[in-house]
Structures are given as C-alpha cells and as structure tokens.
Amino acid sequence: MPGPIIRKPPCESNAAPNLSDYASVRASFSWETAGRMLSGLPSGAGLNIGYEAVDRHAAGKNADVVALRCLRKSGQIQDCTYTQLHAQTSRFANLLRRLGVGRGERVFSLTGRIPELYITALGTLKNGSVFCPLFSAFGPEPIRLRLAIGEARVLITTEALYLRKIAQLRNSLPKLEYVLIVAGSGRSDIPDTLDFHALLDKADDHFTIPPTDPEDWALLHFTSGTTGQPKAAVHVHAAVLAHHVSALFALDLRGGDIFWCTADPGWVTGTSYGIIAPLTLGATLLIDEEEFDAERWYSVLQDQQVTVWYTAPTAVRMMMKLGINVVQKFDTSSLRFMASVGEPLNPEAVLWGQQAFGLPFHDNWWQTETGGIMIANYAAMDIKPGSMGRPLPGIEAVIVQRRTQGIECIEQPDLPGELALRAGWPSMFRGYLGEEERYRSCFADGWYLSGDLARRDADGYFWFIGRADDMIKSAGHLIGPFEVESAFMEHPAVAEAGVIGKPDPIAGETVKVFIALKPGYAADTLLQRELLGFARQRLGAAVAPKELEFRRSLPKTRSGKIMRRVLKARELGLPEGDTSTLEET
Ligand code: ATP
Ligand code: MG
C-alpha cells in the first residue's frame, strides 16, 4: 500500500531511543547475550518472571519507585512501590504454599483490573505455579470451559463475580479446590470459598522463590477466539527475556516511564505488557479500572503524565470517531511514544495520531502464541503507515508458501504468503493445552507458521494482508480485507469497516463491506453509492466491494477485534460458531 512515509529525525544523544540503530543492533543481537539484562535467581537457581519483575527491583535502586498506580472506579488512586509489591506478592506466594498449591499447578483469576489481580499474577509466578487470567466480562459457560481446559486448582475472583457466574459452576468443576474471594468491603463469608485478604494478611511477607527452570510453565493464555474456539497457549518463564527486550526496543520503554497498556490482563497483551514487561524495566505501570471512554482516557494521559502508551486499533478508531477537537482540549505533551496492537492499524489511524497527539501510533504485530512483540515500528525508524514494521532483533521473519512436504520461502519482495517465524525465541508458546497435534501442525522445517498472510517489501517492512481464514478469492484475485477496509477508513464518514467474501457462482466470491458511520452522517442510499464509488476509485473494480450495508457497530471480540467470521455467518445464515469472546453491542 504505497503512501506517505513518516520520517524520523536523527537521534539527539540526550533523547536517543533505546533502539537507535536498528540494523547494527539486529546484526549483533543474540538472545544469549541479551539474557545478561536479567538477573536470574540468586545462587544460580534459574529464571523466574516474578523475580525479574519485582524482587530484584525491591532489592535495588527502584525499591521506592511506584510499581503500580491503580486508578480505582471510586476515583481513589492507589500507589504500590516495588518494595510493597514485593511484600504483597511474597505473601500471596506463601498463601499458595500453605494451601499446598505448587509448581505447575494452575491459578486462575477472574476480576477487573484491581490491585489483587496483579498481586495474584506475580505471587503465582514467584511460587512456580501457572497463572491464567480470565476476562471478567465472560459469561458462565466460557468461564467453565476455560477453567476445565486449564484444570484450575485455584481461582481468585470478586464477591459479585462469584455469585453471578461461578457459584452455579462449582459442582461441574471437581478440580477447582480453592476459590479466593476479594470482598467488596470487610470480609467475605460465602460458603465454600476463602477470603483473599484474610489469608493474605496472615501470610508472611518473606518468601524465597524456589529454583525455577526457564522451561517451567508460567502462563496459560487463551487466544481471542477471533477465528474459532479459543486455544490455550502455554508459556514458560524464559519468556520474560522476550518481554523485556521487546518492551525496550519496540515500546521504547525504560525506568522512569509512566506506562499505560490499555489491554485487560484477560488477554495476552494485558499480561505480557500490562504486567510483566514494564516491571522488568523498573517503570511505573498505570492501571485503569474503568472501561474505555475517549475523553476520560485523554484526562488520564494528561493527569498521570503518561510517557509511553500502548493501545489497540479499535480504541484509536473510536477516538477518531469523536474528532480531533476533543483531544486538543487536553495537554498530552508528556507522551513520548505511542504504539498499537491487536489487529491491523489503518494508515489513516497512524496519521491521525500525528495530528491529534503530535506523535504517530507505532503499529506492532504479534499473537498469543508468540508471547511478545515480533514485528514492530521502532522509535528511530521511518514509518510506512499501514505496515507492521520490521522484525525485532533476535526474530527471523519470512514469507512462505505451504507445500505438501514442508514449506518454501518466498525471497522476492512484495509477494503474498504466510508469515512465518524461525522457531525457538524465548516467548514462543510451548504447546496448546490438550491439543498436541494442533500444536505440531503450526510448525514446519523449523519455522512457526502464524496463519496470517502478509508480504515483505524491498526495505524489509512487513505488510499485513489478512488472516488466512478471512482471505477472499474473487475472480482470480486474492483480496485481503484489511486493504479494502483501510480504503473505506479514508472517507470522512466512516468510523469502522468490516469486509467479507460471499460465495458467488461466477466469481467464486464477491466482496461485501459493512460500515459503521461517524455521528452526524445519515445511512442512506446516497452515501451508500458515494462510498462504493469512493472505494472503486481507490481499489479498482476487481477488488472494490459490490455490496455495502450500514450497521450501527460491527461485532467484535471483547479484546476489540472485528469478528469477520460472525459478520459472514450472519450474512449467510450459517451457525456463528464459538461466540464466547463476542462483545454484543
Ligand atoms: P484466535 O487465534 O482464537 O482466532 P486471535 O488470533 O485473534 O484469536 P490473538 O492471539 O489475540 O488471537 O491475536 C493475534 C492475531 O491478531 C494475529 O494473528 C493477527 O491476525 C492479529 N493481529 C495482531 N496484531 C496485528 C497487527 N499489528 N496487524 C494486523 N493483525 C494483527
Ligand atoms: Mg490466532
């Protein structure tokens, strides 16, 4: 997608980004050498995420730095220094030990973004148990399924969520032994549960992390369910090195930063970058208990003096919908770097960042399975809006075609194919729980096959085309929904666009687009015709949709991704499949 390039100025030495010379760092990078950025457990006892994120700071110069700043729904602001976080997570680890919960056993959370969630995550990791966060808006059945797949032994939840969603499931979850309740106020006395704070208060705040092998299981993450039933990806303690390095390079994050990752820890972004990575760097992690609201978000950026902000395309599109004048009422000049992940970031959105905040959004690409950012736009590198950027140092990415036997790498630039990564980086998933065959089928000839289609240009930038499942074959053309959606996003009336292929006896498939409009535009035939013409001009008649339908909003996963398979199923009157992560609006 040719377009304007955002040139980055030469680095001034006092404000140089962490990665100021991509080519030379990439050429000399090795994961082994990078490992020296971490401490490792004392006396060579291995590598533990909890130690790298918390304990080593509590023992060093960051002891009194605020690790977590929680903006509570009540309006209260709760700060927790690295020293305090160390004590609280040690208490939680002791609490697990007292319950007899040990290495490899699964501790789930189902809460909003409250301090207890972060204590649970890090305390669980320190104990050598496996942390599995669930998104609090899930209904009972998706929760039951995930607890069962993950063989949860412990669940931390709130009183309200327990009564609404868990109590009815207890009988069907024989392996779920302990439910710890975070009470609204005072203590909780719900039968068959334990009170989180009562146990925490009683626990000792000294805890020695047991020897941890870097290959020990640490995290269990369910994928977003955009393409089907969510898969449970297993990650190990070694992943912390990729979290640390990718945040350093791709988010330009460092000690002293006020970092805001808007993703909920129920999704991998909210754990890898909403908990672990910023803490390994000694930054202050901003936690917002409330849900999205553009104006409030701007006030958070302003009042909390956020320096690095990591958000998602849907949020950016919502802000664009509200208009630039609203942003400009706020002082967001503390921001140094903005990034986005989760689905393709339309070029329009990158440029809007520049107008609204004076900084572009830096798109980056990764998956639950990759555990961390793999391809990114870096602070010091020119941006080609619409491109996902270039592979992280230490990551080898190629475009391949699957063959009956193995794969073939496509060397020539600009040809579409499947995005593949050389297997073996530290945060690569180590399995899909209970689905060994499916895991094996993700690899060929030493490469991990992502299931996403992309192309690489002559400068080594990667461009997302679409998920293999969403590609449209129309009259001999392979059409990626992203390209078509981005063309519509250039029109001032369009807030959101979702594109699907519909079976057609002649063309194979035809392209249909669903559009949600910005406020103030009428969904009438005049605008419909104008938009179709607008897209035809940009894309050509072979690629542009023939059909356009207006919707108030588009179906999305709770993590904010457009669910094209749901649009398609509804259009064709087919079963919608797994909709556990669908957010009904
Ligand atoms: P499921 O695997 O259950 O269908 P999912 O793939 O949406 O769900 P995640 O692991 O959360 O679950 O999302 C990873 C996917 O999100 C990527 O494979 C890609 O399709 C999309 N994605 C993430 N970041 C980007 C990006 N910057 N540009 C384009 N697509 C992206
Ligand atoms: Mg996926």
Side-chain angles (χ1 to χ4, degrees):
M1 209 177 293
I5 294 182
I6 300 178
R7 300 267 175 217
K8 294 296 182 71
C11 305
E12 292 160 31
S13 57
N14 60 349
N18 294 335
L19 182 64
S20 46
D21 183 351
Y22 175 78
S24 75
V25 172
R26 184 168 173 78
S28 61
F29 184 90
S30 84
W31 287 111
E32 214 176 3
T33 314
R36 292 193 207 123
M37 288 190 237
L38 301 179
S39 304
L41 286 172
S43 326
L47 181 69
N48 184 293
I49 298 177
Y51 186 82
E52 302 303 327
V54 184
D55 291 20
R56 67 169 175 153
H57 297 300
K61 66 178 175 22
N62 291 329
D64 296 325
V65 168
V66 173
L68 312 181
R69 164 161 286 196
C70 304
L71 311 182
R72 304 303 306 263
K73 277 187 180 155
S74 59
Q76 200 193 356
I77 297 179
Q78 286 176 326
D79 283 347
C80 178
T81 64
Y82 278 94
T83 302
Q84 290 165 331
L85 188 60
H86 173 243
Q88 291 292 67
T89 51
S90 288
R91 283 203 175 97
F92 188 80
N94 275 320
L95 178 167
L96 288 180
R97 192 177 274 178
R98 258 199 60 215
L99 294 176
V101 177
R103 181 166 168 242
E105 294 192 285
R106 261 78 87 179
V107 177
F108 277 61
S109 66
L110 180 83
T111 71
R113 289 176 295 279
I114 55 177
E116 290 83 352
L117 168 61
Y118 298 79
I119 293 165
T120 298
L122 295 158
T124 298
L125 292 164
K126 281 167 67 165
N127 190 48
S129 307
V130 179
F131 176 61
C132 178
L134 295 181
F135 187 49
S136 59
F138 282 147
E141 180 48 28
I143 294 171
R144 191 203 58 76
L145 186 70
R146 286 163 177 78
L147 291 171
I149 293 176
E151 299 186 351
R153 187 156 178 228
V154 183
L155 170 70
I156 283 66
T157 188
T158 63
E159 233 164 6
L161 287 167
Y162 183 82
L163 295 174
R164 241 185 311 139
K165 304 185 180 186
I166 307 291
Q168 57 191 296
L169 304 175
R170 280 305 283 278
N171 289 341
S172 59
L173 292 164
K175 293 198 169 145
L176 180 60
E177 220 170 314
Y178 301 111
V179 176
L180 273 59
I181 301 284
V182 178
S185 60
R187 300 282 190 226
S188 155
D189 55 2
I190 301 174
D192 301 324
T193 68
L194 300 165
D195 184 273
F196 180 94
H197 281 289
L199 291 184
L200 199 70
D201 292 351
K202 267 193 271 168
D204 191 354
D205 61 7
H206 289 281
F207 180 83
T208 305
I209 297 179
T212 312
D213 190 290
E215 286 301 308
D216 279 356
W217 288 16
L219 301 157
L220 187 64
H221 280 301
F222 288 87
T223 60
S224 293
T226 313
T227 53
Q229 184 165 328
K231 297 147 274 188
V234 174
H235 289 281
V236 296
H237 281 272
V240 67
L241 180 56
H243 297 147
H244 182 87
V245 167
S246 56
L248 187 75
F249 290 158
L251 301 177
D252 197 40
L253 196 61
R254 54 190 82 146
D257 270 323
I258 311 285
F259 175 63
W260 188 19
C261 169
T262 60
D264 188 274
W267 313 112
V268 70
T269 308
T271 303
S272 294
Y273 299 97
I275 305 181
I276 299 167
L279 297 180
T280 69
L281 283 153
T284 295
L285 177 60
L286 192 66
I287 297 162
D288 179 28
E289 198 185 345
E290 297 259 29
E291 296 310 321
F292 174 80
D293 172 281
E295 283 210 59
R296 208 181 50 76
W297 274 26
Y298 300 145
S299 73
V300 169
L301 292 170
Q302 169 185 277
D303 299 346
Q304 299 305 323
Q305 302 271 290
V306 174
T307 53
V308 180
W309 185 28
Y310 195 20
T311 188
T314 317
V316 179
R317 287 193 292 263
M318 294 301 170
M319 292 185 267
M320 289 167 74
K321 189 172 169 181
L322 204 64
I324 209 152
N325 299 345
V326 186
V327 193
Q328 287 168 346
K329 286 194 276 179
F330 297 85
D331 175 7
T332 57
S333 58
S334 57
L335 279 169
R336 185 181 81 245
F337 191 80
M338 313 197 301
S340 155
V341 72
E343 50 169 10
L345 186 67
N346 316 90
E348 225 26 50
V350 177
L351 299 170
W352 186 83
Q354 189 98 42
Q355 290 161 15
F357 299 98
L359 299 168
F361 282 103
H362 294 76
D363 186 22
N364 55 56
W365 175 93
W366 59 291
Q367 306 178 305
T368 309
E369 290 84 345
T370 71
I373 299 168
M374 297 282 109
I375 295 180
N377 287 285
Y378 307 94
M381 199 173 81
D382 293 344
I383 297 181
K384 301 186 188 188
S387 160
M388 309 189 287
R390 298 169 77 184
L392 191 80
I395 297 298
E396 205 182 328
V398 288
I399 301 295
V400 304
Q401 281 298 341
R402 293 194 193 210
R403 301 286 178 225
T404 337
Q405 289 289 315
I407 53 153
E408 187 187 319
C409 285
I410 303 174
E411 303 294 345
Q412 205 185 323
D414 290 323
L415 291 182
E418 186 168 356
L419 175 56
L421 306 170
R422 169 88 66 198
W425 68 95
S427 63
M428 185 180 88
F429 70 138
R430 301 299 201 263
Y432 285 132
L433 203 61
E435 296 188 276
E436 264 174 54
E437 186 42 45
R438 185 176 210 166
Y439 181 68
R440 265 198 299 275
S441 71
C442 295
F443 296 87
D445 301 343
W447 294 90
Y448 164 67
L449 305 170
S450 71
D452 283 348
L453 299 190
R455 63 182 177 84
R456 185 186 49 199
D457 71 15
D459 299 326
Y461 283 67
F462 283 76
W463 299 76
F464 184 78
I465 297 175
R467 292 161 183 271
D469 299 11
D470 290 336
M471 295 306 292
I472 302 163
K473 287 193 196 77
S474 182
H477 295 275
L478 192 65
I479 301 170
F482 174 48
E483 183 190 7
V484 181
E485 290 161 8
S486 290
F488 280 99
M489 290 299 293
E490 286 178 40
H491 192 283
V494 174
E496 287 181 299
V499 164
I500 61 161
K502 283 176 70 175
D504 180 86
I506 298 164
E509 281 183 296
T510 56
V511 184
K512 173 161 185 179
V513 63
F514 296 86
I515 297 284
L517 292 172
K518 286 187 184 152
Y521 289 91
D524 54 24
T525 34
L526 204 66
L527 183 56
Q528 190 182 37
R529 249 184 275 137
E530 180 185 323
L531 287 171
L532 286 172
F534 180 84
R536 209 165 31 247
Q537 241 181 18
R538 275 165 175 68
L539 300 164
V543 174
K546 305 273 180 291
E547 229 184 306
L548 182 151
E549 195 176 316
F550 291 115
R551 287 284 164 89
R552 204 175 49 79
S553 67
L554 303 183
K556 289 186 213 69
T557 63
R558 294 189 184 280
S559 53
K561 300 168 195 248
I562 295 174
M563 284 176 107
R564 296 179 189 82
R565 72 175 165 92
V566 171
L567 277 174
K568 188 164 176 167
R570 286 178 183 171
E571 174 71 17
L572 304 178
L574 297 171
E576 290 183 10
D578 185 295
T579 50
S580 60
T581 62
L582 174 68
E583 181 174 48
E584 286 295 354
T585 49

